[in-house]
Amino acid sequence: MTPFPHRPILVQDGTAFSGRLDEGVGTPSVHLVGTLSHPAPQTVLGPFFEQVHARLLENTSPVVEVDLRDVVYMNSASFKSLIEWICLIQSPGALRRYRLCFLVDRKRRWQPTSVHALRCFAPELVEMTSAN
């Protein structure tokens, strides 16, 4: 399996947002970094999460860690892309399902609040842990 590249997803007004899928030993993880306040982030986040989902279907792990600790800010339009990712996992034609365990920084108060909302949307698929 070829490595999934760490690459900038979106650069706007001098702020960058990047993502990477790590599929090394153990639980696969998606690491997101930066600030995302673009009014229409779906055009770049959608394809990123679709590629991640396709790769994770090839993996046998029942859980994927989604590390948000280095995300300074994500607007609500950006979070909609996470909901669309969850919808891909839930789709009736899905070959298999995996759970998302979001790692949050409680000092960034918006992170646990936003992930809690995701958990309400799909409690069987979304978990949350904090590093502090």
Side-chain angles (χ1 to χ4, degrees):
M1 190 177 297
T2 58
F4 196 90
H6 182 86
R7 63 173 193 255
I9 298 172
L10 181 65
V11 177
Q12 174 198 3
D13 300 329
T15 61
F17 190 81
S18 65
R20 158 181 96 238
L21 171 62
D22 292 322
E23 299 174 279
V25 178
T27 303
S29 65
V30 175
H31 188 222
L32 302 174
V33 178
T35 300
L36 192 54
S37 58
H38 192 276
Q42 304 90 315
T43 57
V44 288
L45 285 180
F48 173 76
F49 287 127
E50 287 171 8
Q51 290 174 357
V52 166
H53 177 67
R55 287 295 288 265
L56 291 172
L57 289 177
E58 299 172 10
N59 194 305
T60 60
S61 179
V63 179
V64 175
E65 184 177 87
V66 183
D67 190 344
L68 297 178
R69 292 174 298 170
D70 292 324
V71 177
V72 176
Y73 175 76
M74 282 180 83
N75 62 10
S76 59
S78 304
F79 257 82
K80 183 177 179 200
S81 295
L82 291 173
I83 292 171
E84 290 169 354
W85 182 15
I86 291 169
C87 288
L88 283 173
I89 299 167
Q90 290 177 323
S91 68
L95 300 174
R96 72 176 199 87
R97 290 188 176 183
Y98 50 89
R99 292 186 322 278
L100 301 175
C101 181
F102 287 86
L103 185 55
V104 299
D105 181 347
R106 291 206 179 273
K107 293 176 189 168
R108 299 184 197 273
R109 294 181 187 256
W110 65 269
Q111 288 184 1
T113 302
S114 298
V115 172
H116 177 72
L118 287 177
R119 185 162 166 58
C120 292
F121 179 74
E124 74 284 3
L125 296 178
V126 177
E127 304 169 14
M128 177 175 53
T129 60
S130 99
N132 48 7

